[in-house]
Amino acid sequence: MSTSATAAPVREGAAPGAVRNWKNPILLSVLALLALLGFALGAPANDVTFRLSDPGDALVLPDLVLSAPVIGWFTALGMLALAVFAVVRTRRGEPVPRWLLAAFAVLFLLGFLTWVVGSARTPNVALYGLLAGSVTLAVPLIFGSLSGVLCERSGVVNIAIEGQLLFGAFAAAVAASLSGSAIVGLIAAAVAGVMVSLVLAVFSIRYLVNQVIVGVVLNVLVSGLTGFLFSAVLSEDSETWNSPPQLPVLSIPGLSEIPILGAILFEQTIVGYLMYVAVAAVYVALYHSRWGLRTRAVGEHPKAADTLGVNVNRLRFTNVLLAGVVAGVGGSFFTLVLVSGFGRDMTAGQGYIALAALIFGRWNPIGAFFAALLFGFATNLTNVLSLLGTPVPDQFLRMLPYVVTIFAVAGLVGRSRAPGASGIPYTKG
């Protein structure tokens, strides 16, 4: 899964080693011109209202009212200026700085929100609700991307994230329904994720089957198996098999009362808090422990790690199973938090978006965390804009999360490097 940008010719007179990489400047220029065209053809005349806090909060912040024409043209011209600056730097053989990409992303998001919300029948949006929904929808993506980090840092490509999430959701619904306990459902989801990982590990590590093919087959297998059981068992007696209790929302006193962010970050179910723990634990363990050093060595140079006494395949096997636990818990979110019951293929491709978040985050737990938040924001934005009555067709709004995924990976994956041994089976000798 390793990809790299093709080096462009060196400019005459440029410093030694300087290359022209026109990918980012071209992408920024196209987006800036599209923004200018959008406001030129249909600049909204309304003011846009962003509600910053819930009226029931202890501290109510005033609404933020912005003029759609002023903000729209400001953001469009600002993006154009940044794109021109990126072109100039690239012509000099200099890299495009990260702050420029971040500033461009902020301007693009502000301009897009201003244009879409300003053109809606109801030109106001609850910003706190938009952010809260984004964090909620990002939870399974974060668990899925962490599962991918654990596998790929060990040298195993995990295409089966979708199957792990789906089987975890199914097991959580059935176990919680039969036992009447959401905690039992959470444990069953982790076991289900391990079962999918076990098959992946056995075939890809023990029998050296192509890891991508195994992952795709597992996704199809889990989809077919859960779909059949849903039709044959769960739908026939949903009261017994598909009525799981919901995990309660737990508020942290003091922290949950922080304006805007308090209710978003510190009023979560146990799955939400486990998400924070998982991100921190994987990051610390991966970069500040002996296990993490060995894992990264196995993912980069397995032969060298083997020479130093590391059992490469055993460590890979263990990490793939651990990744199944993480993804399975993420799958429980769908049936124990999001909705009360299992539905056919209810993960709806979230595993593949989690894989994109893993790549966008550069195989780093923190990077994958923020990438998943971005995709969660795009998904929730689609839902919010549909309710506001925007002139944008609903079909295009539903494309938004996947368009963001494509642009994110296409814009940065060229400068990312997967672990050197990712996807390559290891045989001793």
Side-chain angles (χ1 to χ4, degrees):
M1 294 190 65
S2 175
T3 57
S4 59
T6 303
V10 178
R11 181 175 65 87
E12 294 183 6
V19 297
R20 292 181 183 177
N21 185 350
W22 285 95
K23 178 184 57 187
N24 282 328
I26 291 175
L27 179 61
L28 299 184
S29 300
V30 170
L31 292 177
L33 291 176
L34 287 176
L36 284 172
L37 181 63
F39 281 101
L41 295 178
N46 299 323
D47 287 340
V48 178
T49 302
F50 294 100
R51 301 198 302 276
L52 300 180
S53 58
D54 192 323
D57 290 346
L59 177 62
V60 178
L61 300 178
D63 294 342
L64 180 63
V65 181
L66 302 176
S67 171
V70 173
I71 297 300
W73 284 108
F74 169 77
T75 54
L77 294 175
M79 285 188 287
L80 183 62
L82 291 176
V84 171
F85 183 57
V87 169
V88 171
R89 287 186 62 93
T90 303
R91 283 182 58 85
R92 295 175 180 172
E94 300 173 352
V96 177
R98 291 186 181 181
W99 66 261
L100 188 148
L101 297 174
F104 189 94
V106 171
L107 288 176
F108 182 83
L109 178 60
L110 180 59
F112 179 76
L113 283 176
T114 300
W115 181 73
V116 175
V117 178
S119 303
R121 293 191 301 269
T122 308
N124 63 79
V125 61
L127 189 59
Y128 65 91
L130 179 60
L131 296 178
S134 303
V135 173
T136 299
L137 293 177
V139 170
L141 298 179
I142 293 170
F143 278 107
S145 61
L146 289 178
S147 173
V149 168
L150 289 169
C151 286
E152 298 212 18
R153 281 292 184 176
S154 307
V156 178
V157 174
N158 187 7
I159 302 295
I161 298 174
E162 176 77 4
Q164 292 170 330
L165 292 175
L166 184 59
F167 205 41
F170 175 83
V174 172
S177 299
L178 293 176
S179 65
S181 170
I183 299 299
V184 172
L186 186 63
I187 296 172
V191 174
V194 171
M195 292 174 62
V196 177
S197 283
L198 181 62
V199 179
L200 173 64
V202 168
F203 280 94
S204 62
I205 298 174
R206 176 66 178 85
Y207 295 106
L208 308 182
V209 180
N210 185 285
Q211 297 169 9
V212 175
I213 294 177
V214 175
V216 173
V217 170
L218 280 173
N219 288 337
V220 176
L221 174 63
V222 172
S223 175
L225 178 62
T226 56
F228 168 75
L229 293 175
F230 174 76
S231 300
V233 180
L234 274 65
S235 296
E236 295 296 326
D237 188 2
S238 59
E239 288 295 326
T240 301
W241 295 94
N242 198 21
S243 299
Q246 296 287 279
L247 288 168
V249 175
L250 307 174
S251 299
I252 299 179
L255 295 178
S256 61
E257 299 174 3
I258 298 174
I260 302 180
L261 295 180
I264 296 173
L265 300 179
F266 303 111
E267 287 187 1
Q268 297 278 348
T269 64
I270 188 173
V271 175
Y273 293 121
L274 284 175
M275 174 191 72
Y276 302 143
V277 173
V279 172
V282 172
Y283 177 80
V284 172
L286 196 59
Y287 294 102
H288 301 282
S289 73
R290 183 181 180 184
W291 167 85
L293 179 61
R294 290 187 171 190
T295 294
R296 287 181 286 126
V298 164
E300 291 287 349
H301 303 288
K303 190 171 184 61
D306 189 9
T307 303
L308 295 175
V310 178
N311 190 321
V312 173
N313 286 334
R314 184 172 65 185
L315 184 59
R316 285 184 172 183
F317 209 101
T318 302
N319 288 352
V320 171
L321 296 184
L322 181 60
V325 174
V326 174
V329 172
S332 70
F333 171 86
F334 292 99
T335 48
L336 300 183
V337 179
L338 193 61
V339 296
S340 182
F342 179 81
R344 187 193 302 268
D345 290 328
M346 67 185 308
T347 51
Q350 295 292 291
Y352 298 107
I353 298 182
L355 186 63
L358 158 71
I359 299 172
F360 186 29
R362 302 187 178 192
W363 292 267
N364 182 295
I366 303 299
F369 171 78
F370 286 108
L373 287 178
L374 171 64
F375 298 139
F377 177 81
T379 302
N380 194 44
L381 182 61
T382 299
N383 301 330
V384 171
L385 294 180
S386 299
L387 296 175
L388 293 180
T390 65
V392 182
D394 184 66
Q395 293 83 354
F396 285 96
L397 290 178
R398 295 187 181 279
M399 291 168 52
L400 184 60
Y402 305 98
V403 171
V404 170
T405 303
I406 292 172
F407 272 106
V409 176
L412 291 179
V413 71
R415 294 185 293 136
S416 300
R417 188 185 69 84
S422 180
I424 303 175
Y426 179 73
T427 54
K428 189 177 181 65

